[in-house]
Amino acid sequence: MIHSDGFRALGRQECLRLLGKVPVGRVVYTRHALPAVLPVNFTLDPDGSVVLCASADSDLVRAVGGVVVAFEADDVRAGRRSGWSVVVTGRAEVVSDPAEHERLLRTGPRSWMRDGVFVRIGSGMVTGRELTGIGGS
């Protein structure tokens, strides 16, 4: 459904399909009781969860452990007034199972650091919207 503001709500499956097309997003978490945003590379697991790799001693890894975080990724073409944005909200956990860690070394995101650990964000709530290019300048 396209609203008069030029945005169209996206369904869960369409959101997950779009997330699979971009390599970088932003995780939003709480650091020292304040919102923090961190750009990360990521992959989507078959169950729809977002998997990212972070430094084992990072603020992000210290902040997760069953807490709810948000993850956002987008693809916007400002000049064409088109694009999309998807937000995944869910519980974040450091992957501690050795077999799962080994699997993610093969299938998960490539680490941007040497001492990376995998963080999984469950896809409890997935929302998105598409800018349809309506509107003029």
PDB file of all heavy atoms in Angstrom, residues 12-30:
ATOM      1  N   ARG A  12       7.439  -8.702   5.883  1.00  0.00           N
ATOM      2  CA  ARG A  12       8.608  -9.351   6.476  1.00  0.00           C
ATOM      3  C   ARG A  12       9.498 -10.019   5.430  1.00  0.00           C
ATOM      4  O   ARG A  12      10.712  -9.824   5.424  1.00  0.00           O
ATOM      5  CB  ARG A  12       8.146 -10.371   7.519  1.00  0.00           C
ATOM      6  CG  ARG A  12       9.286 -11.135   8.167  1.00  0.00           C
ATOM      7  CD  ARG A  12       8.779 -12.209   9.134  1.00  0.00           C
ATOM      8  NE  ARG A  12       9.860 -12.963   9.685  1.00  0.00           N
ATOM      9  CZ  ARG A  12      10.528 -12.646  10.800  1.00  0.00           C
ATOM     10  NH1 ARG A  12      10.188 -11.579  11.479  1.00  0.00           N
ATOM     11  NH2 ARG A  12      11.519 -13.403  11.222  1.00  0.00           N
ATOM     12  N   GLN A  13       8.923 -10.839   4.553  1.00  0.00           N
ATOM     13  CA  GLN A  13       9.742 -11.571   3.580  1.00  0.00           C
ATOM     14  C   GLN A  13      10.440 -10.627   2.607  1.00  0.00           C
ATOM     15  O   GLN A  13      11.600 -10.836   2.248  1.00  0.00           O
ATOM     16  CB  GLN A  13       8.887 -12.601   2.831  1.00  0.00           C
ATOM     17  CG  GLN A  13       8.433 -13.748   3.709  1.00  0.00           C
ATOM     18  CD  GLN A  13       9.588 -14.424   4.431  1.00  0.00           C
ATOM     19  OE1 GLN A  13      10.625 -14.724   3.864  1.00  0.00           O
ATOM     20  NE2 GLN A  13       9.415 -14.658   5.727  1.00  0.00           N
ATOM     21  N   GLU A  14       9.748  -9.565   2.199  1.00  0.00           N
ATOM     22  CA  GLU A  14      10.370  -8.590   1.304  1.00  0.00           C
ATOM     23  C   GLU A  14      11.510  -7.867   2.025  1.00  0.00           C
ATOM     24  O   GLU A  14      12.574  -7.622   1.452  1.00  0.00           O
ATOM     25  CB  GLU A  14       9.338  -7.594   0.792  1.00  0.00           C
ATOM     26  CG  GLU A  14       9.865  -6.692  -0.296  1.00  0.00           C
ATOM     27  CD  GLU A  14       8.793  -5.859  -0.951  1.00  0.00           C
ATOM     28  OE1 GLU A  14       7.647  -5.806  -0.453  1.00  0.00           O
ATOM     29  OE2 GLU A  14       9.109  -5.239  -1.975  1.00  0.00           O
ATOM     30  N   CYS A  15      11.315  -7.546   3.299  1.00  0.00           N
ATOM     31  CA  CYS A  15      12.370  -6.910   4.092  1.00  0.00           C
ATOM     32  C   CYS A  15      13.607  -7.802   4.155  1.00  0.00           C
ATOM     33  O   CYS A  15      14.736  -7.335   3.933  1.00  0.00           O
ATOM     34  CB  CYS A  15      11.878  -6.625   5.512  1.00  0.00           C
ATOM     35  SG  CYS A  15      10.711  -5.261   5.656  1.00  0.00           S
ATOM     36  N   LEU A  16      13.418  -9.071   4.454  1.00  0.00           N
ATOM     37  CA  LEU A  16      14.551  -9.987   4.561  1.00  0.00           C
ATOM     38  C   LEU A  16      15.249 -10.160   3.210  1.00  0.00           C
ATOM     39  O   LEU A  16      16.485 -10.227   3.143  1.00  0.00           O
ATOM     40  CB  LEU A  16      14.100 -11.334   5.120  1.00  0.00           C
ATOM     41  CG  LEU A  16      13.609 -11.290   6.575  1.00  0.00           C
ATOM     42  CD1 LEU A  16      13.063 -12.654   6.986  1.00  0.00           C
ATOM     43  CD2 LEU A  16      14.693 -10.822   7.531  1.00  0.00           C
ATOM     44  N   ARG A  17      14.481 -10.195   2.140  1.00  0.00           N
ATOM     45  CA  ARG A  17      15.070 -10.297   0.794  1.00  0.00           C
ATOM     46  C   ARG A  17      15.950  -9.081   0.512  1.00  0.00           C
ATOM     47  O   ARG A  17      17.073  -9.208   0.018  1.00  0.00           O
ATOM     48  CB  ARG A  17      13.973 -10.420  -0.260  1.00  0.00           C
ATOM     49  CG  ARG A  17      14.483 -10.544  -1.694  1.00  0.00           C
ATOM     50  CD  ARG A  17      13.349 -10.551  -2.701  1.00  0.00           C
ATOM     51  NE  ARG A  17      12.578  -9.324  -2.709  1.00  0.00           N
ATOM     52  CZ  ARG A  17      12.978  -8.168  -3.277  1.00  0.00           C
ATOM     53  NH1 ARG A  17      14.144  -8.101  -3.881  1.00  0.00           N
ATOM     54  NH2 ARG A  17      12.212  -7.104  -3.249  1.00  0.00           N
ATOM     55  N   LEU A  18      15.459  -7.891   0.856  1.00  0.00           N
ATOM     56  CA  LEU A  18      16.235  -6.677   0.628  1.00  0.00           C
ATOM     57  C   LEU A  18      17.493  -6.634   1.496  1.00  0.00           C
ATOM     58  O   LEU A  18      18.556  -6.215   1.032  1.00  0.00           O
ATOM     59  CB  LEU A  18      15.366  -5.442   0.888  1.00  0.00           C
ATOM     60  CG  LEU A  18      14.267  -5.196  -0.145  1.00  0.00           C
ATOM     61  CD1 LEU A  18      13.307  -4.122   0.339  1.00  0.00           C
ATOM     62  CD2 LEU A  18      14.867  -4.834  -1.499  1.00  0.00           C
ATOM     63  N   LEU A  19      17.389  -7.077   2.743  1.00  0.00           N
ATOM     64  CA  LEU A  19      18.566  -7.104   3.608  1.00  0.00           C
ATOM     65  C   LEU A  19      19.672  -7.965   3.012  1.00  0.00           C
ATOM     66  O   LEU A  19      20.854  -7.666   3.182  1.00  0.00           O
ATOM     67  CB  LEU A  19      18.210  -7.638   4.995  1.00  0.00           C
ATOM     68  CG  LEU A  19      17.561  -6.674   5.963  1.00  0.00           C
ATOM     69  CD1 LEU A  19      17.252  -7.373   7.284  1.00  0.00           C
ATOM     70  CD2 LEU A  19      18.417  -5.454   6.197  1.00  0.00           C
ATOM     71  N   GLY A  20      19.287  -9.028   2.341  1.00  0.00           N
ATOM     72  CA  GLY A  20      20.269  -9.914   1.731  1.00  0.00           C
ATOM     73  C   GLY A  20      21.035  -9.284   0.585  1.00  0.00           C
ATOM     74  O   GLY A  20      22.013  -9.852   0.096  1.00  0.00           O
ATOM     75  N   LYS A  21      20.634  -8.092   0.153  1.00  0.00           N
ATOM     76  CA  LYS A  21      21.275  -7.434  -0.985  1.00  0.00           C
ATOM     77  C   LYS A  21      22.354  -6.426  -0.598  1.00  0.00           C
ATOM     78  O   LYS A  21      23.048  -5.914  -1.468  1.00  0.00           O
ATOM     79  CB  LYS A  21      20.221  -6.698  -1.820  1.00  0.00           C
ATOM     80  CG  LYS A  21      19.258  -7.606  -2.523  1.00  0.00           C
ATOM     81  CD  LYS A  21      18.311  -6.793  -3.368  1.00  0.00           C
ATOM     82  CE  LYS A  21      17.510  -7.688  -4.281  1.00  0.00           C
ATOM     83  NZ  LYS A  21      16.775  -6.908  -5.286  1.00  0.00           N
ATOM     84  N   VAL A  22      22.452  -6.092   0.692  1.00  0.00           N
ATOM     85  CA  VAL A  22      23.429  -5.080   1.102  1.00  0.00           C
ATOM     86  C   VAL A  22      24.415  -5.675   2.105  1.00  0.00           C
ATOM     87  O   VAL A  22      24.053  -6.536   2.896  1.00  0.00           O
ATOM     88  CB  VAL A  22      22.742  -3.821   1.688  1.00  0.00           C
ATOM     89  CG1 VAL A  22      21.927  -3.098   0.622  1.00  0.00           C
ATOM     90  CG2 VAL A  22      21.869  -4.158   2.879  1.00  0.00           C
ATOM     91  N   PRO A  23      25.666  -5.213   2.088  1.00  0.00           N
ATOM     92  CA  PRO A  23      26.678  -5.813   2.961  1.00  0.00           C
ATOM     93  C   PRO A  23      26.870  -5.122   4.308  1.00  0.00           C
ATOM     94  O   PRO A  23      27.507  -5.684   5.194  1.00  0.00           O
ATOM     95  CB  PRO A  23      27.955  -5.683   2.125  1.00  0.00           C
ATOM     96  CG  PRO A  23      27.735  -4.422   1.347  1.00  0.00           C
ATOM     97  CD  PRO A  23      26.253  -4.387   1.045  1.00  0.00           C
ATOM     98  N   VAL A  24      26.352  -3.899   4.463  1.00  0.00           N
ATOM     99  CA  VAL A  24      26.621  -3.120   5.667  1.00  0.00           C
ATOM    100  C   VAL A  24      25.327  -2.547   6.221  1.00  0.00           C
ATOM    101  O   VAL A  24      24.440  -2.118   5.465  1.00  0.00           O
ATOM    102  CB  VAL A  24      27.614  -1.969   5.371  1.00  0.00           C
ATOM    103  CG1 VAL A  24      27.839  -1.084   6.588  1.00  0.00           C
ATOM    104  CG2 VAL A  24      28.948  -2.525   4.881  1.00  0.00           C
ATOM    105  N   GLY A  25      25.213  -2.559   7.539  1.00  0.00           N
ATOM    106  CA  GLY A  25      24.077  -1.953   8.224  1.00  0.00           C
ATOM    107  C   GLY A  25      24.564  -1.316   9.513  1.00  0.00           C
ATOM    108  O   GLY A  25      25.772  -1.160   9.732  1.00  0.00           O
ATOM    109  N   ARG A  26      23.622  -0.954  10.373  1.00  0.00           N
ATOM    110  CA  ARG A  26      23.957  -0.319  11.636  1.00  0.00           C
ATOM    111  C   ARG A  26      23.230  -1.015  12.768  1.00  0.00           C
ATOM    112  O   ARG A  26      22.027  -1.255  12.671  1.00  0.00           O
ATOM    113  CB  ARG A  26      23.551   1.154  11.600  1.00  0.00           C
ATOM    114  CG  ARG A  26      24.453   1.960  10.676  1.00  0.00           C
ATOM    115  CD  ARG A  26      23.795   3.199  10.107  1.00  0.00           C
ATOM    116  NE  ARG A  26      22.688   2.974   9.197  1.00  0.00           N
ATOM    117  CZ  ARG A  26      22.797   2.551   7.933  1.00  0.00           C
ATOM    118  NH1 ARG A  26      23.982   2.272   7.421  1.00  0.00           N
ATOM    119  NH2 ARG A  26      21.744   2.393   7.178  1.00  0.00           N
ATOM    120  N   VAL A  27      23.959  -1.343  13.826  1.00  0.00           N
ATOM    121  CA  VAL A  27      23.336  -1.932  15.002  1.00  0.00           C
ATOM    122  C   VAL A  27      23.168  -0.809  16.028  1.00  0.00           C
ATOM    123  O   VAL A  27      24.063   0.013  16.218  1.00  0.00           O
ATOM    124  CB  VAL A  27      24.140  -3.135  15.552  1.00  0.00           C
ATOM    125  CG1 VAL A  27      25.526  -2.742  15.990  1.00  0.00           C
ATOM    126  CG2 VAL A  27      23.392  -3.816  16.674  1.00  0.00           C
ATOM    127  N   VAL A  28      21.999  -0.771  16.647  1.00  0.00           N
ATOM    128  CA  VAL A  28      21.677   0.244  17.658  1.00  0.00           C
ATOM    129  C   VAL A  28      21.525  -0.480  18.993  1.00  0.00           C
ATOM    130  O   VAL A  28      20.718  -1.400  19.112  1.00  0.00           O
ATOM    131  CB  VAL A  28      20.365   0.987  17.304  1.00  0.00           C
ATOM    132  CG1 VAL A  28      20.071   2.059  18.339  1.00  0.00           C
ATOM    133  CG2 VAL A  28      20.449   1.589  15.903  1.00  0.00           C
ATOM    134  N   TYR A  29      22.310  -0.058  19.971  1.00  0.00           N
ATOM    135  CA  TYR A  29      22.311  -0.704  21.279  1.00  0.00           C
ATOM    136  C   TYR A  29      22.497   0.363  22.348  1.00  0.00           C
ATOM    137  O   TYR A  29      22.623   1.544  22.029  1.00  0.00           O
ATOM    138  CB  TYR A  29      23.404  -1.778  21.347  1.00  0.00           C
ATOM    139  CG  TYR A  29      24.813  -1.236  21.215  1.00  0.00           C
ATOM    140  CD1 TYR A  29      25.625  -1.078  22.335  1.00  0.00           C
ATOM    141  CD2 TYR A  29      25.333  -0.888  19.962  1.00  0.00           C
ATOM    142  CE1 TYR A  29      26.918  -0.587  22.208  1.00  0.00           C
ATOM    143  CE2 TYR A  29      26.620  -0.402  19.845  1.00  0.00           C
ATOM    144  CZ  TYR A  29      27.407  -0.246  20.962  1.00  0.00           C
ATOM    145  OH  TYR A  29      28.676   0.244  20.848  1.00  0.00           O
ATOM    146  N   THR A  30      22.511  -0.035  23.598  1.00  0.00           N
ATOM    147  CA  THR A  30      22.676   0.910  24.699  1.00  0.00           C
ATOM    148  C   THR A  30      24.085   0.827  25.256  1.00  0.00           C
ATOM    149  O   THR A  30      24.564  -0.257  25.592  1.00  0.00           O
ATOM    150  CB  THR A  30      21.658   0.620  25.820  1.00  0.00           C
ATOM    151  OG1 THR A  30      20.345   0.682  25.252  1.00  0.00           O
ATOM    152  CG2 THR A  30      21.773   1.624  26.939  1.00  0.00           C
TER     153      THR A  30
END
